[in-house]
Amino acid sequence: MAFLFRSKHRTPGDLVKSMTDSLSTLEKKKDAKSQDKALEELAKHLHQAKQTLYGEAEAEPSAEACDILHKEFCAGSLFLPIVRVLERLDFEVRLLFSGQTIFIQKELQARKNFALVFNNLLRRNTGSIRTVDHIAGQPELLELLVKGYESDGLALTCGTMLRECMKQEPLARIVLHSKNFYAFFDQSRCTIKQI
């Protein structure tokens, strides 16, 4: 009966198209209900993209599907728009019971899924498409990742992605020469981030 509750598995092209549609809804500044639905859909599609790249419990990832997702993600230029709405992606709240004590655990599931997808695609080269070159052409994305340290909720996610970017020489060069580079040290030194 578990098969009744599984979500529809989409092709990589469909995932990217659905993410693009959700992002365009978020940019149009429609009513709160449609914004919430678009964020929920985006979170769902990020989870499916993560499953495509990393596989599921019972299945290994398909190399062909990973390559298609990589090409489509770069062709759709989805990195920057998703980073722009990253702070709006919801927490997943779980209650944990331990004896008499109830713990509320907030999980940044959608943000975590995007960080995993971003890091995987950053390391991937498919044919003539290099994600590093694609991101190097969008220095605003790297600036947003550095600015992500200003928000307690985004610091962990942006730090994970920025750390992976710094392993790539062209991206590290852009960050080192950006105007926000020295502010990054002030921000990371000022407060202890809540995790």
Side-chain angles (χ1 to χ4, degrees):
M1 291 293 261
F3 66 90
L4 293 175
F5 300 107
R6 286 191 184 170
S7 61
K8 178 181 163 186
H9 197 69
R10 297 173 179 248
T11 65
D14 292 340
L15 273 177
V16 170
K17 184 182 180 321
S18 298
M19 283 188 231
T20 304
D21 293 343
S22 296
L23 289 166
S24 67
T25 301
L26 291 170
E27 289 174 2
K28 290 179 184 174
K29 307 278 190 223
K30 291 186 176 183
D31 62 349
K33 187 176 180 180
S34 62
Q35 294 276 314
D36 291 342
K37 186 174 192 266
L39 285 169
E40 185 179 312
E41 290 293 316
L42 181 60
K44 188 187 324 177
H45 299 317
L46 286 171
H47 177 72
Q48 290 175 349
K50 182 192 84 164
Q51 286 180 330
T52 301
L53 292 170
Y54 290 97
E56 298 178 45
E58 64 271 357
E60 290 291 317
S62 162
E64 181 182 339
C66 292
D67 290 344
I68 292 170
L69 183 65
H70 176 244
K71 288 177 184 175
E72 294 288 332
F73 225 89
C74 289
S77 296
L78 291 179
F79 295 111
L80 184 58
I82 294 176
V83 169
R84 284 184 183 140
V85 299
L86 200 57
E87 191 166 20
R88 295 170 58 193
L89 289 173
D90 287 334
F91 288 94
E92 178 180 298
V93 178
R94 294 189 297 160
L95 296 176
L96 304 173
F97 298 98
S98 175
Q100 297 280 341
T101 311
I102 299 175
F103 297 99
I104 297 177
Q105 179 181 3
K106 293 183 177 180
E107 242 183 79
L108 308 171
Q109 201 63 40
R111 295 175 190 172
K112 191 187 324 179
N113 287 339
F114 177 65
L116 288 169
V117 168
F118 181 88
N119 290 343
N120 187 302
L121 294 177
L122 184 63
R123 293 185 298 265
R124 190 173 292 277
N125 296 323
T126 305
S128 64
I129 300 173
R130 290 190 58 218
T131 310
V132 172
D133 296 337
H134 181 74
I135 292 173
Q138 298 177 330
E140 181 187 354
L141 185 133
L142 295 169
E143 289 181 25
L144 287 173
L145 291 178
V146 171
K147 285 181 182 179
Y149 274 90
E150 295 173 6
S151 169
D152 287 343
L154 284 180
L156 183 63
T157 306
C158 288
T160 302
M161 293 186 286
L162 192 59
R163 196 168 25 259
E164 195 67 33
C165 288
M166 295 303 285
K167 293 178 184 177
Q168 308 295 328
E169 186 179 340
L171 302 180
R173 188 177 302 119
I174 292 170
V175 171
L176 291 174
H177 290 93
S178 76
K179 61 185 176 190
N180 294 326
F181 181 64
Y182 293 106
F184 168 71
F185 287 108
D186 293 335
Q187 184 60 35
S188 63
R189 183 172 18 124
C190 288
T191 60
I192 296 175
K193 300 297 177 189
Q194 296 174 356
I195 298 175

